[in-house]
Amino acid sequence: MLNDLNIGSDDPSELRRANALLAAEVKSQALLIEKLQHQLAGHNRHRFGSKSESLDQLNLTFEEEEQIAASAKAQTDPVPAAEEDKPPRQHSRKPLPDHLDRQDQVLSPGEQCSHCGGSLKTLGEDVTEELEYVPGRFVVNRIVRPRKACADCETFVQSPLPSRPIERGRPGPGLLAHVLVSKYADHLPLYRQSQIYARDGVDLERSTLSDWVGRSTALLEPLADAIGRMVRQGDGIFADDTPVKMQAPGQKKTKTARVWTYVRDERPWSGQSPPCAWYQFTVDRKGEHPTNHLTGYKGWVHADGYSGFNGLFGESKAREMACMAHVRRKFVDVFAAQGSSVAEEAVRRIAKLYAMEKEARRKSPQERIALRQAKAKPVFDELEQWLHDQLARISGKSPLAKAIRYALGRLPKARAYLDHGCLELDNNTAERAVKPVAIGRKNWMFAGSEGGGKAMAVAFTLIETAKLNGVDPQAWLSWVLERIADHKINRLDELMPWRYAEQSAQQ
């Protein structure tokens, strides 16, 4: 276009036309350079990050996850009547290593016959060995049950075997808790755990560990569901999701599934409820999933701008609180890529709002509202008007303009925190809750199937809720697994991590 111009002409009209075209060309090139700089900055941030794992590496955990799903199903499925009449299956298990310490627990039926009062004499005994883990080492619990007979009426008696987390299995509750926490909190896939245990002289195959994880999470699922119900009773909750790899059924490739998290944390406004985190797994990111998860919920939901959450909001539904951290992040990206003074000023103004939130933390809802109305509202109003003014002065196609338009679209939905003390300025509570999933994802923790993903969600719900309450998840899960087999389903609140903390403090 510029080649057709006669730049050397003395005609004023021709020179003005050339000047206008040159200005348009310079502006176009500047926009292109700005766009490319923004893209390059983004690519550079990802360039040195962790690379996607090869399919061979993924297969190491896919096999584990498939076995976990199968074992979870087997744990919850009722035993067919035909199977109940069959004699117990004879296992070809290897004996537990001789070098491990043995701790005997003797379950005696007593010294007198309950039928006639005669004395009992010992005929023999049954010994059940249970592999247990106490912090730092393996031990073997020997449950000794003497078989006795009455000297007078010849009645045979023996104490019953106590209930155990996994029937016909030999892991103790401490070992099951250790495997769960190692996999889902410490991000150690089961094949790595198997290698670590082998160095201690304990031979535990991956298939065995997978079976334990599947059965344990199935046993603990009612407790995770109870935590989910507590989350949905809060005045305000935090919602987010993150992708995880899942093996496509019948194929050697993966698809992208999602882990959703919903958090209730009232500590910033001195609420009375303990903090809880509830996780759910789905095979895709359709908006119907959060709508189903929060059916009937009418409180506030802190969320990012993902359109899939829109089904939650409306008349007689939940209300939306937008995330200022997402707004801020857009301007940080523009400033990092281009050094824009406007983006820098936007970040500075948003930082003022966060500085005021430090003052509001741990205050009552009424005190938070008063402080925000007096100090934060003027800053919030000025920020919104200032962004409107800046948008009129810059190119509408620039990354900065996109960041401003995003901010102006979210600010009206973020304004609610000024009038409600139970709300936070951002959704960072949920983002922190999905971080353990992202860390595990980098350590090849993938879902081999939908069932494996659901087992993962149960484990994350329990472990992260314990951590939010300052409770050691391994100690708590050991305590729960020791009791849950015989615990009444309508008294699950007695097994919550804060109940465990109260009992531990009294001992």
Side-chain angles (χ1 to χ4, degrees), residues 317-359:
K317 293 184 179 180
R319 292 171 287 178
E320 181 178 10
M321 172 63 200
C323 175
M324 283 298 292
H326 280 77
V327 173
R328 178 183 180 277
R329 200 169 298 153
K330 300 287 186 183
F331 292 109
V332 169
D333 290 344
V334 173
F335 177 74
Q338 303 167 10
S340 166
S341 60
V342 175
E344 183 180 23
E345 175 64 14
V347 172
R348 187 187 68 79
R349 288 171 180 259
I350 295 172
K352 287 184 178 180
L353 296 174
Y354 275 96
M356 295 165 193
E357 285 306 290
K358 289 183 179 179
E359 296 183 47

Side-chain angles (χ1 to χ4, degrees), residues 36-48 333 336-337:
L36 293 175
Q37 285 178 330
H38 191 74
Q39 291 176 349
L40 179 61
H43 288 310
N44 284 338
R45 282 194 299 273
H46 294 289
R47 181 179 178 185
F48 301 105
D333 290 344

Side-chain angles (χ1 to χ4, degrees), residues 25-37:
E25 184 73 9
V26 169
K27 183 177 180 180
S28 175
Q29 294 296 324
L31 284 174
L32 179 61
I33 291 171
E34 186 178 1
K35 179 181 178 181
L36 293 175
Q37 285 178 330

Side-chain angles (χ1 to χ4, degrees), residues 461-480:
T461 296
L462 301 173
I463 291 171
E464 295 306 316
T465 296
K467 289 163 62 176
L468 283 174
N469 287 274
V471 172
D472 176 5
Q474 183 168 315
W476 172 58
L477 286 176
S478 299
W479 180 79
V480 170

